[in-house]
Amino acid sequence: MLAYIARRLLFIIPTLLAIITTNFFIVQIAPGGPVDQAVAEMSGVDSNMVMERISGQGRRETGDTSEGGEKRSAYRGARGLDPEVIEEINKRFGFDKPIHVRYFEMLRRYLAFDFGDSLFRGRSVVGLIADRMPVSISLGLWSTLIIYLVSIPLGVRKAVRNGSRFDLWTSTVIILGSAIPTFLFAVLLVILFAGGSFLKIFPLRGLTSVNFQDLSYIGKVLDYAGHLVLPVTAMTIGGFATLSMLTKNSFLDEINKQYVMTARAKGLAEKAILFKHVFRNAMLLIIAGFPAAFISMFFTGSLFIEVIFSLEGLGLLGFEATMQRDYPVMFGTLYMFTLLGLLLGLVSDLMYTVIDPRIDFEGRK
């Protein structure tokens, strides 16, 4: 097993390298880079127009290219700026160097987990990620735990009572819940329970209140939980359907196998058959999807929730960095989430052996 873990850890290195390399060169050729953003800001132009590149008669090149063969700026806002100013902007962002030099410098820093500083926020990328991490961990962790704690028992119950009224009405409820878009359900919760038009039971902004440090321990727990009720509810409402139906189908598939019939013929109790024999085999498929589910909740699934509930998490940070072309933040968050996903994939494989000792990854050729 140790040899298998070592191989998987070594496999993370080329995987990270391939993902970072692909995204680096794709982003470099995309229009509206950080230099254009800075030029737009200095020219007093709306940054939303940065993506509008000059075409036809409106295009005006700034003359010589940088050392890396890139134009200093093709943005119309650069017309009133001195070429020396634009050259200084390129130098400040590191675009005075060839693209391959910037690429290898980035790899060298990333080996030491040095993601540099944000181009527009005046802070280190590590500091920004550390500040946003509690929000994303809170949303992703609690949402995933609630979905698994509800969906797995529900799926088992539906499998045992397959075709009953309980199975039919629970299927109807969870499918209706999954049909409602997450952001729409979040807006509905705000309107109903956060002072939108009806009740004001739960706070709307942030992860904690302003006076959080002055509260007692119980008060801090209640304040933290109160801030999470609405966003976590919005994130989990659509996650029950897939997992509960997957659990149900997995259990139904195992229940109809020969070893279950043999166990029943020996007189074993139904609960013993379900939880001592069927559960281990049926849960293998469920565990396989845990890393993807957690990463989805941790990042992509929380973006709309963070915007609606004014939560400063990694999803919103990554989105804002992409819109601003803040390359250090973009690649730093990408690096962290890719690494986290790969490590969770390894944990998922190790959990296979815990649930079913017959699985031996070390013996695989």
Side-chain angles (χ1 to χ4, degrees):
M1 181 57 68
L2 292 179
Y4 172 76
I5 294 175
R7 289 198 302 268
R8 286 292 301 271
L9 291 176
L10 290 175
F11 183 73
I12 289 177
I13 298 175
T15 305
L16 273 175
L17 179 63
I19 293 175
I20 292 297
T21 300
T22 302
N23 283 273
F24 177 83
F25 287 103
I26 290 177
V27 168
Q28 294 296 317
I29 64 177
V35 174
D36 289 331
Q37 295 281 347
V39 169
E41 183 178 351
M42 295 183 66
S43 303
V45 182
D46 186 1
S47 61
N48 291 329
M49 298 176 61
V50 172
M51 296 298 296
E52 298 178 6
R53 307 292 290 182
I54 302 304
S55 59
Q57 63 179 5
R59 181 177 295 275
R60 177 180 181 271
E61 304 284 349
T62 58
D64 297 335
T65 59
S66 66
E67 184 181 351
E70 299 178 13
K71 300 297 181 183
R72 291 191 183 100
S73 179
Y75 181 62
R76 62 166 59 95
R79 289 179 177 179
L81 293 180
D82 192 298
E84 294 183 359
V85 175
I86 298 179
E87 184 66 30
E88 180 63 29
I89 294 174
N90 278 281
K91 184 177 181 180
R92 178 161 63 94
F93 289 148
F95 283 89
D96 59 328
K97 301 176 182 178
I99 188 171
H100 68 278
V101 173
R102 300 200 305 270
Y103 169 71
F104 286 111
E105 286 183 352
M106 180 191 71
L107 292 183
R108 177 180 54 81
R109 293 196 309 269
Y110 278 24
L111 288 176
F113 286 88
D114 178 14
F115 304 126
D117 297 328
S118 170
L119 299 181
F120 302 103
R121 299 172 184 267
R123 293 190 57 194
S124 68
V125 176
V126 174
L128 289 171
I129 294 177
D131 288 345
R132 303 295 186 96
M133 192 71 76
V135 172
S136 294
I137 289 179
S138 296
L139 293 177
L141 181 61
W142 290 115
S143 298
T144 305
L145 285 177
I146 291 174
I147 289 175
Y148 269 75
L149 289 175
V150 172
S151 296
I152 291 177
L154 178 61
V156 174
R157 186 68 173 174
K158 288 171 65 64
V160 173
R161 303 183 61 180
N162 183 39
S164 65
R165 290 184 177 180
F166 173 81
D167 182 33
L168 293 177
W169 74 260
T170 52
S171 296
T172 302
V173 171
I174 61 177
I175 290 175
L176 288 176
S178 64
I180 302 176
T182 301
F183 71 91
L184 183 61
F185 190 75
V187 172
L188 179 63
L189 291 178
V190 171
I191 294 174
L192 294 177
F193 303 109
S197 300
F198 295 91
L199 304 175
K200 189 174 183 180
I201 302 176
F202 301 101
L204 181 59
R205 296 179 177 274
L207 197 61
T208 57
S209 301
V210 178
N211 63 334
F212 180 77
Q213 297 298 332
D214 299 330
L215 300 175
S216 63
Y217 177 78
I218 300 298
K220 290 180 179 179
V221 172
L222 294 177
D223 181 75
Y224 173 74
H227 281 79
L228 283 178
V229 168
L230 295 186
V232 170
T233 301
M235 292 181 66
T236 57
I237 194 66
F240 295 123
T242 301
L243 187 59
S244 60
M245 296 304 293
L246 180 61
T247 304
K248 173 189 173 181
N249 293 332
S250 297
F251 267 79
L252 284 177
D253 184 57
E254 293 296 325
I255 287 174
N256 295 324
K257 290 186 176 179
Q258 184 63 43
Y259 73 91
V260 176
M261 299 179 184
T262 303
R264 286 173 175 166
K266 291 181 177 181
L268 290 180
E270 193 67 22
K271 288 186 177 180
I273 296 174
L274 285 176
F275 294 103
K276 288 185 179 181
H277 299 279
V278 176
F279 187 81
R280 283 189 172 184
N281 296 326
M283 286 302 296
L284 292 177
L285 185 61
I286 310 302
I287 291 176
F290 178 79
F294 182 75
I295 291 296
S296 177
M297 286 289 181
F298 195 67
F299 183 67
T300 55
S302 64
L303 175 57
F304 290 122
I305 301 301
E306 291 174 10
V307 173
I308 294 173
F309 292 98
S310 300
L311 296 170
E312 299 289 333
L314 289 175
L316 185 59
L317 176 64
F319 175 76
E320 292 174 346
T322 302
M323 297 302 295
Q324 294 177 337
R325 299 298 193 271
D326 196 343
Y327 291 166
V329 178
M330 289 173 59
F331 293 127
T333 54
L334 174 67
Y335 184 89
M336 292 300 298
F337 279 109
T338 303
L339 180 60
L340 181 61
L342 293 172
L343 291 176
L344 283 177
L346 175 59
V347 172
S348 177
D349 287 348
L350 296 179
M351 287 300 297
Y352 283 143
T353 61
V354 174
I355 293 179
D356 191 348
R358 297 173 299 175
I359 297 178
D360 182 18
F361 291 108
E362 187 64 31
R364 295 174 62 185
K365 299 297 184 181

